[in-house]
C-alpha cells in the first residue's frame, strides 16, 4: 500500500508541468558546482553540500516525482566533478533516497511549511539533520572511502557538510511563499536581501584587519535579528542563506576573520558561527510568528466573547425593544386603517398625502430600531477608526431608551459640547457603554433607592493629558469595595443572576483600544465607572 501511495503521488504531481523539474535540476547543479570549490583535499569531500537540503525540500513541496529529477541532477553533477559513472550513480541514488526519506517523514509529521512555530522548526531541522543529512553523509562516505578505517571520520565530515546544506537551503525552499506585501515591507525585504549580505562582504573581504574583523563578524547577528522581528520567515531564511554564501565564499578564498589555518579548519570554524546565525534567525522568526498567531487568536476569542456579551445584553433589553417596535407597528396599523377609510369616502390624493407620509415615517422608525439592533448583534469585525465618542454614546443610548422608560429611570446626558475624537473599535465602545449603563440600571432598580432614580453619562476631553473620558454614574447604593480589583475579573459578579462577563469583556475591549477602565464610588451617589481613551489627533494618538 505504501508503494501504491508513492505511485499515486508521482502521478498526481506529474501534471504540474516542467517548471519544478527544471528549477530543481538547474538549482541542484548550481549548488553542487558552487560547493565543489570548498573541497577537503584529503578525501575529496566538500565542506558544505547544500544540494541535499534543496532535494529534500523540493520533494516535500512538489511530490515524489521530483526524486527522479534529483537523481538525474546528482548523477550529472558528480560525474561532471570527476566521479566515475558507477560512483556517481551510487552517490546520486544515495542523495535521492535520503531526500525521499526525509520528505516522507516531514509529510508524516504534518509539516505545514510556514515555519511559523518552534514545533515546525523542530520537525524540519530534526528530520533534515538527523535523518536526511545522516543518510546522505553515510552513503557519500561509503562511496568515498569504503569500509576503511577512515569511514567514521568521513561520515562525520560528510554529515557536517550535509547538515550545513540542509539548514541553509531547506528552510528557505520550504517557507518560500511570496505574496504581495505593503510598500514599507517590500522596501524592508529589498533592504534585508541586499544590505545584510553587503555588510557581510565588507567584513569578510579582507579590507579590515583580522583582529577587528573577527569580533565585527558578529555585527551581522543584530541585523538578522531585526529582519526576523519585522519580516516574514522566508525573508529571514533568504537573508541568512545569502549572508552565509558570502561568508563561505570569502573564507574559501582565504579571506575574512576565519582565514587562518587552511580551508578545512577555517570553514568548519565558520560553520559553527553560521549555525548560530541560522538558529538565531529561525527561532526569532518562529517566535514572532507564534506571537502574532496568538494575538490573532486572542482577538478572535475577544470578538466571539464580545458578540456573546452583546447577545446577553440584548436578551435583557428584549422586553423594552419588543415594546418599542410594537408601538410603530400599532401606529402603522392605525394609519393604514384611517387611510383606507378616507379612500372609501373618496378622499383626494392631496388629502391622503399626510397619512401616507406618517406611514412612511413610522415604518422608518421601526426599521431604524431593527437596524440598530442588528448592527449591535453583528458577527465579525466592526469598523475601527476615528470617531466622535459623543456620537458613539448617543447611538448606544438609543438602544437603551426603551428600558429607561420601562423602568422609569431618568437618563441624564452630559456630553461635551465639543467633538471628542478617538480612534477605536466603534461597535466595541458602544458595547462597553451598553454594559456599563445596563449595570447602572440594575443598581438603581435593585438598590431600592426611590429618590435617585437616574443614570448620568458624561464625556470630557483633556487636551493636556491627551485623553477622552467617558463617565457612567448611577444613583444607586454604590459598591461595597470598589478598589479590590476583582470586579473586572471573568465570572466575578456582584449582581444577582449576572454572568460576570460584562465588565471583563468591557475591560478587554477598552485595553485593546489602548485605554483603561476604572471604578469608584461617587460622593452622594452610587458607582462611578470611568473609561479613559487616547484622543485622536489626525493620525497621532
Amino acid at each position: 500500500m505504501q508503494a501504491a501511495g508513492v505511485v499515486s503521488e508521482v502521478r498526481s504531481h506529474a501534471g504540474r508541468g516542467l517548471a519544478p523539474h527544471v528549477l530543481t535540476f538547474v538549482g541542484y547543479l548550481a549548488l553542487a558546482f558552487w560547493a565543489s570549490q570548498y573541497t577537503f583535499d584529503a578525501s575529496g569531500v566538500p565542506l558544505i553540500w547544500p544540494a541535499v537540503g534543496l532535494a529534500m525540500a523540493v520533494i516535500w513541496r512538489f511530490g515524489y516525482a521530483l526524486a527522479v529529477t534529483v537523481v538525474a541532477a546528482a548523477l550529472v553533477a558528480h560525474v561532471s566533478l570527476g566521479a566515475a559513472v558507477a560512483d556517481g550513480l551510487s552517490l546520486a541514488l544515495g542523495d535521492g533516497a535520503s531526500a525521499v526519506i526525509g520528505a516522507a517523514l516531514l509529510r508524516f509529521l504534518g509539516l505545514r511549511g510556514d515555519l511559523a512555530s518552534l514545533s515546525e522548526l523542530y520537525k524540519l531541522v530534526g528530520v533534515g539533520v538527523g535523518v536526511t543529512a545522516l543518510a546522505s553523509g553515510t552513503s557519500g562516505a561509503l562511496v568515498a572511502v569504503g569500509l576503511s578505517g577512515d569511514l567514521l571520520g568521513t561520515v562525520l565530515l560528510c554529515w557536517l557538510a550535509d547538515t550545513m546544506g540542509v539548514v541553509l537551503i531547506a528552510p528557505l525552499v520550504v517557507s518560500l511563499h511570496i505574496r504581495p506585501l505593503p510598500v514599507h515591507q517590500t522596501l524592508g525585504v529589498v533592504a534585508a536581501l541586499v544590505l545584510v549580505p553587503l555588510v557581510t562582504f565588507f567584513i569578510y573581504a579582507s579590507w579590515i584587519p583580522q583582529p577587528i574583523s573577527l569580533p565585527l563578524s558578529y555585527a551581522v547577528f543584530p541585523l538578522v535579528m531585526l529582519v526576523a522581528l519585522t519580516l516574514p520567515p522566508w525573508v529571514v531564511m533568504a537573508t541568512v542563506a545569502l549572508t552565509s554564501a558570502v561568508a563561505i565564499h570569502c573564507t574559501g578564498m582565504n579571506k575574512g576573520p576565519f582565514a587562518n589555518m587552511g580551508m578545512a579548519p577555517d570553514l568548519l570554524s565558520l560553520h559553527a558561527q553560521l549555525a548560530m546565525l541560522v538558529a538565531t534567525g529561525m527561532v526569532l522568526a518562529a517566535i514572532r510568528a507564534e506571537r502574532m498567531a496568538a494575538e490573532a487568536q486572542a482577538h478572535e476569542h475577544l470578538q466571539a466573547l464580545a458578540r456573546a456579551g452583546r447577545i446577553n445584553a440584548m436578551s435583557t433589553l428584549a422586553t423594552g425593544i419588543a415594546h418599542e417596535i410594537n408601538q410603530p407597528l400599532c401606529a402603522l396599523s392605525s394609519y393604514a386603517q384611517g387611510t383606507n377609510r378616507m379612500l372609501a369616502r373618496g378622499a383626494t390624493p392631496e388629502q391622503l398625502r399626510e397619512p401616507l407620509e406618517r406611514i412612511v415615517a413610522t415604518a422608518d422608525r421601526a426599521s431604524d430600531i431593527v437596524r440598530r439592533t442588528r448592527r449591535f448583534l453583528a458577527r465579525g469585525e466592526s469598523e475601527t477608526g476615528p470617531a466622535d465618542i459623543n456620537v458613539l454614546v448617543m447611538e448606544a443610548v438609543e438602544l437603551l431608551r426603551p428600558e429607561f422608560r420601562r423602568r422609569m429611570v431618568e437618563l441624564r446626558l452630559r456630553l461635551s459640547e465639543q467633538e471628542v475624537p478617538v480612534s477605536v473599535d466603534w461597535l466595541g465602545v458602544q458595547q462597553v457603554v451598553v454594559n456599563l449603563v445596563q449595570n447602572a440600571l440594575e443598581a438603581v432598580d435593585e438598590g431600592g433607592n426611590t429618590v435617585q432614580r437616574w443614570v448620568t453619562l458624561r464625556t470630557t476631553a483633556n487636551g493636556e493629558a491627551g485623553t477622552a473620558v467617558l463617565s457612567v454614574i448611577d444613583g444607586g447604593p454604590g459598591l461595597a469595595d470598589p478598589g479590590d480589583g476583582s470586579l473586572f475579573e471573568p465570572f466575578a459578579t456582584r449582581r444577582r443572576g449576572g454572568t460576570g462577563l460584562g465588565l471583563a469583556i468591557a475591560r478587554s475591549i477598552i485595553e485593546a483600544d489602548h485605554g483603561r477602565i476604572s471604578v469608584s464610588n461617587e460622593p452622594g451617589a452610587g458607582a462611578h465607572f470611568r473609561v479613559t481613551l487616547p484622543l485622536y489627533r489626525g493620525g497621532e494618538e
Side-chain angles (χ1 to χ4, degrees):
M1 292 186 67
Q2 180 106 12
V6 173
V7 172
S8 174
E9 182 75 21
V10 170
R11 288 176 179 171
S12 67
H13 289 278
R16 286 192 173 186
L18 292 176
H21 296 271
V22 173
L23 291 174
T24 298
F25 191 87
V26 173
Y28 193 104
L29 291 180
L31 291 173
F33 291 144
W34 175 75
S36 66
Q37 303 176 71
Y38 318 113
T39 300
F40 187 35
D41 296 335
S43 62
V45 175
L47 293 172
I48 183 171
W49 191 251
V52 69
L54 173 70
M56 181 188 72
V58 296
I59 292 173
W60 170 85
R61 185 161 184 173
F62 298 108
Y64 297 109
L66 269 294
V68 177
T69 304
V70 166
V71 172
L75 177 60
V76 171
H78 288 301
V79 171
S80 300
L81 292 173
V85 174
D87 289 345
L89 182 59
S90 298
L91 290 169
L93 291 173
D95 287 352
S98 60
V100 167
I101 293 170
L105 276 174
L106 290 177
R107 291 189 170 205
F108 175 77
L109 293 173
L111 184 75
R112 296 191 309 270
D114 54 8
L115 301 187
S117 67
L118 291 175
S119 63
E120 287 282 285
L121 284 184
Y122 297 153
K123 292 174 187 176
L124 179 61
V125 175
V127 170
V129 173
V131 177
T132 298
L134 184 60
S136 176
T138 302
S139 64
L142 286 171
V143 174
V145 299
L147 297 173
S148 65
D150 296 330
L151 178 61
L152 185 60
T154 307
V155 167
L156 179 60
L157 190 61
C158 290
W159 175 73
L160 288 173
D162 289 338
T163 291
M164 286 306 301
V166 166
V167 297
L168 288 180
I169 300 299
L172 171 60
V173 178
V174 164
S175 65
L176 187 60
H177 294 282
I178 301 177
R179 297 183 179 90
L181 296 172
V183 174
H184 70 280
Q185 275 206 324
T186 302
L187 294 176
V189 171
V190 174
L193 298 181
V194 173
L195 293 181
V196 180
L198 279 179
V199 170
T200 305
F201 180 76
F202 178 77
I203 295 171
Y204 280 78
S206 294
W207 297 335
I208 303 174
Q210 194 177 52
I212 299 176
S213 65
L214 183 58
L216 196 60
S217 65
Y218 289 91
V220 179
F221 278 75
L223 298 178
V224 170
M225 293 167 67
L226 178 63
V227 174
L229 292 173
T230 54
L231 294 170
W234 72 265
V235 181
V236 183
M237 311 310 170
T239 302
V240 170
L242 290 173
T243 299
S244 300
V246 171
I248 290 170
H249 181 75
C250 290
T251 303
M253 298 297 104
N254 200 33
K255 297 179 180 180
F258 291 93
N260 285 317
M261 301 170 288
M263 183 181 293
D266 289 349
L267 281 179
L268 291 177
S269 299
L270 175 63
H271 285 353
Q273 189 190 68
L274 293 182
M276 290 188 291
L277 183 66
V278 172
T280 300
M282 290 196 301
V283 169
L284 279 180
I287 291 174
R288 172 177 176 261
E290 282 186 334
R291 187 197 68 190
M292 293 175 66
E295 289 176 351
Q297 188 176 37
H299 181 69
E300 290 178 5
H301 289 168
L302 177 58
Q303 292 290 325
L305 273 175
R307 185 167 184 271
R310 294 196 296 273
I311 293 173
N312 182 65
M314 293 309 295
S315 68
T316 305
L317 300 175
T319 303
I321 291 174
H323 178 72
E324 191 76 359
I325 294 177
N326 189 56
Q327 283 184 331
L329 290 178
C330 291
L332 277 173
S333 178
S334 298
Y335 291 143
Q337 290 174 9
T339 305
N340 194 35
R341 287 193 295 269
M342 292 174 69
L343 281 171
R345 292 196 299 266
T348 65
E350 191 62 33
Q351 290 173 324
L352 295 174
R353 182 183 301 278
E354 182 180 353
L356 288 175
E357 288 177 349
R358 289 180 180 178
I359 289 175
V360 172
T362 306
D364 288 343
R365 176 185 165 195
S367 175
D368 190 54
I369 296 170
V370 173
R371 179 188 58 80
R372 288 198 304 266
T373 305
R374 289 184 62 184
R375 180 181 175 188
F376 188 70
L377 295 175
R379 182 189 298 273
E381 297 285 339
S382 69
E383 191 169 355
T384 299
D388 182 0
I389 197 170
N390 294 326
V391 175
L392 299 180
V393 169
M394 288 296 296
E395 289 182 0
V397 163
E398 289 304 313
L399 290 169
L400 295 155
R401 285 192 186 277
E403 196 67 12
F404 274 91
R405 286 194 289 268
R406 189 175 72 87
R407 301 193 184 203
M408 293 182 291
V409 175
E410 180 187 359
L411 173 62
R412 301 175 178 176
L413 294 179
R414 306 288 187 265
L415 304 184
S416 171
E417 295 182 359
Q418 303 296 325
E419 183 178 310
V420 183
V422 290
S423 182
V424 293
D425 174 356
W426 296 2
L427 186 56
V429 169
Q430 289 178 345
Q431 179 174 352
V432 171
V433 174
V434 169
N435 283 344
L436 295 180
V437 174
Q438 269 190 313
N439 287 345
L441 273 169
E442 294 292 340
V444 170
D445 236 17
E446 296 177 2
N449 189 336
T450 58
V451 177
Q452 300 190 90
R453 294 188 63 80
W454 53 259
V455 174
T456 299
L457 276 76
R458 186 171 64 222
T459 60
T460 56
N462 187 334
E464 293 183 0
T467 57
V469 179
L470 164 65
S471 295
V472 179
I473 309 167
D474 63 64
L479 299 169
D481 187 6
D484 67 354
S486 66
L487 198 61
F488 296 98
E489 295 300 320
F491 308 111
T493 180
R494 301 180 185 182
R495 181 162 53 87
R496 186 176 56 196
T499 63
L501 288 175
L503 289 177
I505 294 172
R507 182 178 66 175
S508 298
I509 292 172
I510 294 302
E511 289 180 350
D513 286 330
H514 311 292
R516 63 183 183 274
I517 183 170
S518 59
V519 62
S520 61
N521 282 326
E522 182 77 0
H528 180 174
F529 284 86
R530 179 182 284 103
V531 175
T532 306
L533 292 164
L535 281 174
Y536 178 77
R537 295 173 174 172
E540 183 178 347
E541 296 180 37

